[in-house]
Amino acid sequence: MLKKFVSSILAVILLAGCSGSKADTADSAQGGSSVSCAEIASDLVKQLDLGEAVTEAKTRIVYGSFFNAREGDENLPVSDAAAYLPADKNSDTVAVFRTSDAEAVTGMLDSYLSSQKALSEMYSPEEVFKISNAIVETSKDGSLVVLVVCNDIETAKTKVSSVLGN
C-alpha cells in the first residue's frame, strides 16, 4: 500500500515537472510570450543606446498616443503594450505591442507614423527621414509588433529581428 502511494506521488511530481518545462520551451521558441512588452522595450532601448533620447511612457499615454484609445477598449486588439517616447526635440521611439491581430496594429502604427511625419515636416524637418524609415516588424507567430524610430536604422533592424526571433 505504501509503495503504491509513494509511486503515485512520484509519478504526479514527474508529470507536473515535465509539463512545465515543455510550456517554457514553447514560450521561448515563439518569441518569449512570457516576457512582458515593458521588458522587451527596455531591452531594445538599452541595445540601441537611446537612454537619454527617450522616456518611458505610462500605459494610458501609450494607448492614447498610438491608438487614440484607452487601455481595455473592446475594439483594441492589444493585450499588453509598452513604449519609450521622445524625451526632447527628436522623434526617437521604441514601442512593443502584444496583439491578437498584428495586421490591425500595424495599420494603426502606420497612421501614427503618418501623423508624426506631418508634424515633423512643419516643426522638425530634420526628423522626417527617421520617421519615414521607421521599423515596424511583427514576430513570426504574429503575437508581437515592434516599432522603432531612431538614427541607426540598420542596427535597429538587426536588434528588432533578434528580439522577435525572426
Side-chain angles (χ1 to χ4, degrees):
M1 178 83 156
L2 185 60
K3 281 184 179 180
K4 284 184 180 181
F5 178 72
V6 171
S7 298
S8 298
I9 288 182
L10 285 174
V12 169
I13 291 172
L14 289 173
L15 289 173
C18 290
S19 66
S21 64
K22 183 177 178 183
D24 292 342
T25 303
D27 282 349
S28 63
Q30 294 179 357
S33 63
S34 62
V35 178
S36 73
C37 289
E39 292 169 321
I40 296 169
S42 174
D43 188 42
L44 280 171
V45 168
K46 288 176 189 167
Q47 288 182 31
L48 296 170
D49 197 27
L50 295 174
E52 293 181 17
V54 295
T55 57
E56 187 173 10
K58 293 182 179 186
T59 305
R60 65 182 171 80
I61 293 172
V62 173
Y63 284 92
S65 296
F66 292 100
F67 307 114
N68 198 23
R70 293 182 182 190
E71 183 179 10
D73 279 359
E74 291 179 15
N75 297 330
L76 191 63
V78 175
S79 60
D80 186 19
Y84 286 79
L85 299 175
D88 200 6
K89 296 178 182 179
N90 66 51
S91 58
D92 295 344
T93 304
V94 174
V96 181
F97 307 95
R98 189 166 311 281
T99 181
S100 58
D101 187 354
E103 191 173 318
V105 171
T106 302
M108 291 173 179
L109 292 177
D110 288 342
S111 296
Y112 167 80
L113 289 169
S114 293
S115 66
Q116 292 301 306
K117 183 177 175 183
L119 286 171
S120 289
E121 286 172 344
M122 288 188 286
Y123 300 110
S124 303
E126 66 278 0
E127 296 294 311
V128 172
F129 179 78
K130 286 196 288 190
I131 297 169
S132 297
N133 292 291
I135 298 161
V136 178
E137 195 167 327
T138 305
S139 63
K140 287 180 183 177
D141 66 358
S143 66
L144 287 174
V145 177
V146 175
L147 165 69
V148 176
V149 178
C150 69
N151 284 327
D152 193 352
I153 299 164
E154 292 304 316
T155 301
K157 284 181 184 178
T158 304
K159 300 295 182 184
V160 169
S161 291
S162 174
V163 165
L164 292 176
N166 293 348

